[in-house]
């Protein structure tokens, strides 16, 4: 077994992952799509604080990165939903431990955030 390198060059798996999930809302989109396809309005309700412009752009980015599929049903009124591709599903499952970590450390993190906000 080889020891992982101490640095993470551009070919590093972490860099590749961060390129996909970079953006404030992308991890949440992936997390919520784990339960199945969602329409735009449902995603918007699940992610309070995201603007329409940013959510639309991040959905387009995830689609271009082949982790999200957009299905347009060509109906009137328009009906479109978003779902994870197999690649996206594996990425969304990788995010679950981060959610668990955040839940387990929420009290400590709240104190840290309060200290940080007091300085700013």
């Amino acid at each position: 077994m080889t020891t992982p390198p101490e640095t993470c060059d551009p070919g590093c798996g972490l860099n590749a992952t961060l390129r996909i999930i970079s953006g404030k809302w992308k991890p949440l989109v992936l997390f919520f799509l784990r339960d199945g396809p969602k329409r735009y309005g449902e995603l918007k309700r699940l992610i309070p604080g995201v603007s329409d412009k940013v959510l639309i752009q991040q959905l387009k980015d995830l689609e271009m990165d082949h982790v999200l599929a957009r299905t347009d049903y060509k109906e009137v009124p328009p009906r479109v939903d978003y779902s994870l591709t197999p690649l996206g599903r594996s990425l969304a499952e990788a995010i679950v431990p981060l959610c668990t970590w955040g839940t387990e450390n929420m009290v400590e993190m709240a104190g840290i955030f309060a200290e940080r906000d007091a300085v700013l």
Side-chain angles (χ1 to χ4, degrees), residues 25-26 29 39-45 47 50-62 82:
W25 310 109
K26 287 179 186 179
V29 168
R39 293 179 70 179
Y40 176 83
E42 190 174 2
L43 286 171
K44 179 92 164 107
R45 282 189 298 278
I47 307 171
V50 65
S51 70
D52 287 318
K53 178 182 176 184
V54 171
L55 181 56
I56 289 167
Q57 184 58 56
Q58 295 203 349
L59 289 168
K60 286 180 182 179
D61 291 348
L62 290 167
Y82 298 90

Side-chain angles (χ1 to χ4, degrees), residues 10-29:
C12 171
L14 181 57
N15 277 332
T17 304
L18 291 175
R19 283 188 66 186
I20 299 293
I21 65 170
S22 67
K24 185 173 181 179
W25 310 109
K26 287 179 186 179
L28 289 172
V29 168

Side-chain angles (χ1 to χ4, degrees), residues 20-21 25-35 43 47 62 67-68 84 87-89 91-93 95:
I20 299 293
I21 65 170
W25 310 109
K26 287 179 186 179
L28 289 172
V29 168
L30 294 170
F31 182 81
F32 288 124
L33 288 176
R34 285 175 36 255
D35 298 330
L43 286 171
I47 307 171
L62 290 167
V67 295
L68 184 132
L84 295 174
L87 181 64
R89 179 152 303 285
L91 180 55
E93 292 303 323
I95 292 171

